[in-house]
Amino acid sequence: MKITALELSKPQLMRAATYASVGVAVLLIAIKFYAWMMTDSVSLLSTLVDSVLDAGASMVNLIAIHYALQPADSEHRFGHGKAEPLAGLMQSGFIFASALFLIVETVRRLLDPSAVENSDMGVAVMVISIVLTISLVLFQKYVVRVTRSVAVSADSLHYTTDILVNMGVIVALVVSAYTDWLWFDPVVAGLIALYILHSVRKIAIDAIQLLMDREFDEPEREKIFEIVLSNPKVMGMHDLRTRSSGPHQFIQLHLVLHADMKLRDCHKIADEVEKALLREFEDAEILIHEDPHDIEEELPDFAKEEAHQPEG
């Protein structure tokens, strides 16, 4: 029976994305290496180096996602999701190193320029690379949309930049073939290196923010307030704290209820709120603390500023 992407579970989709990434990277290394040997193009060499590092980063992702998907245990009660941003941080190191290598190679080729050979072959290889990479990125973006995987998202960002890089190489090969501008090929390689350095910044920052338990984006937090306060029995909420750990989300909050309510009734309302939140954040682990309305708690300044009461 044929299995479609929609029938795969989130863990299966994440694993499939890493397998596809490694497979594409290895194939691109093979064809780019052959093309570089035939053309001696430094801009083509730049994409070859990038593909080698893609393969290394994708292998790191494969291992990280395998570990991140392991269930919580007695020593890791919040799960193993932090393996994903750790992989993203390692990816940024791979990418940064590749950019530095390309800058050095660009300077060397500018000081000792040489003509590009067999440019037609190089262009054909770049077109194949673009088609393969676009197919991979489309699949990765689908997986990210469904799973919110940090590691797959970082990988997708890297391969998206590869598409632009490969287009730049095609321009360099064509110009080098029909002009005597020996400087053009290494200049394109240098611009590619600078672009790679720019792209690595977002990957590194996103990974660090997740490792430091950054809050959800403001629209998601406002959605939580909206869902919680839509329950007519809720008198308010405060001290909302959110974080992500790989594919897992964690939400905790204080629910303000009438002080005369029985514990069983408070628990029932908290369950209603939790179920409503899970309809929007289906993979979240939610912790709700019930507070009586007539007790004023000492809150951090940031929590005071965003404490919500129902309208009216």
Side-chain angles (χ1 to χ4, degrees):
M1 182 177 67
K2 183 178 179 181
I3 299 177
T4 65
L6 292 173
E7 294 173 320
L8 296 176
S9 66
K10 290 183 180 181
Q12 287 174 324
L13 278 173
M14 291 168 65
R15 291 190 179 98
T18 58
Y19 296 148
S21 179
V22 172
V24 168
V26 170
L27 180 58
L28 291 179
I29 288 171
I31 62 175
K32 287 180 180 180
F33 179 78
Y34 179 74
W36 171 61
M37 294 294 289
M38 294 294 102
T39 63
D40 194 33
S41 164
V42 69
S43 60
L44 206 154
L45 172 62
S46 72
T47 70
L48 170 60
V49 171
D50 198 39
S51 291
V52 171
L53 291 165
D54 282 346
S58 296
M59 285 299 298
V60 170
N61 267 0
L62 194 153
I63 296 169
I65 286 178
H66 172 78
Y67 189 71
L69 292 174
Q70 300 302 307
D73 55 40
S74 60
E75 294 183 345
H76 305 90
R77 295 180 187 269
F78 289 98
H80 302 81
K82 288 291 178 71
E84 279 206 69
L86 279 172
L89 205 56
M90 291 181 68
Q91 271 202 39
S92 66
F94 277 122
I95 301 167
F96 183 76
S98 71
L100 292 182
F101 172 80
L102 293 179
I103 290 172
V104 171
E105 187 65 18
T106 295
V107 172
R108 185 188 70 80
R109 187 58 67 94
L110 283 172
L111 295 175
D112 183 23
S114 61
V116 174
E117 302 173 358
N118 297 316
S119 60
D120 290 345
M121 176 184 293
V123 170
V125 166
M126 287 299 97
V127 171
I128 294 171
S129 298
I130 289 172
V131 172
L132 288 172
T133 306
I134 288 175
S135 301
L136 174 63
V137 168
L138 289 175
F139 178 57
Q140 287 176 323
K141 288 188 179 299
Y142 167 76
V143 173
V144 171
R145 189 167 65 250
V146 172
T147 68
R148 301 169 61 96
S149 169
V150 177
V152 176
S153 178
D155 216 25
S156 178
L157 175 63
H158 191 196
Y159 279 103
T160 300
T161 65
D162 285 354
I163 296 171
L164 300 177
V165 167
N166 291 336
M167 290 179 178
V169 173
I170 290 176
V171 173
L173 290 170
V174 171
V175 170
S176 298
Y178 294 99
T179 71
D180 57 356
W181 297 354
L182 300 182
W183 53 267
F184 192 82
D185 182 54
V187 165
V188 169
L191 292 174
I192 290 171
L194 294 177
Y195 189 79
I196 290 172
L197 285 176
H198 173 72
S199 70
V200 76
R201 179 175 175 270
K202 175 173 172 50
I203 296 175
I205 289 175
D206 287 350
I208 290 171
Q209 292 282 28
L210 285 167
L211 288 170
M212 296 182 68
D213 290 333
R214 183 183 184 275
E215 291 285 333
F216 289 3
D217 291 337
E218 197 55 35
E220 291 181 302
R221 290 176 56 80
E222 285 299 326
K223 186 65 178 178
I224 293 172
F225 281 113
E226 178 187 329
I227 291 171
V228 173
L229 298 177
S230 66
N231 189 306
K233 298 172 186 175
V234 172
M235 301 183 69
M237 67 171 286
H238 58 81
D239 210 7
L240 171 63
R241 303 186 185 210
T242 58
R243 68 184 182 92
S244 298
S245 179
H248 311 295
Q249 295 177 303
F250 297 88
I251 301 172
Q252 64 182 62
L253 59 93
H254 285 223
L255 200 63
V256 181
L257 302 172
H258 198 284
D260 294 336
M261 278 188 175
K262 294 181 178 180
L263 178 59
R264 186 180 299 276
D265 294 331
C266 291
H267 179 75
K268 181 180 179 181
I269 295 170
D271 277 350
E272 292 172 358
V273 169
E274 181 178 355
K275 289 176 182 176
L277 286 171
L278 286 172
R279 283 193 287 272
E280 182 72 23
F281 303 91
E282 58 183 21
D283 294 321
E285 182 174 313
I286 301 170
L287 179 63
I288 298 176
H289 175 78
E290 299 93 6
D291 286 337
H293 79 282
D294 57 359
I295 293 180
E296 187 172 341
E297 289 196 54
E298 187 66 30
L299 301 175
D301 290 338
F302 62 83
K304 292 177 183 176
E305 293 172 0
E306 64 176 14
H308 280 53
Q309 301 290 335
E311 294 181 3

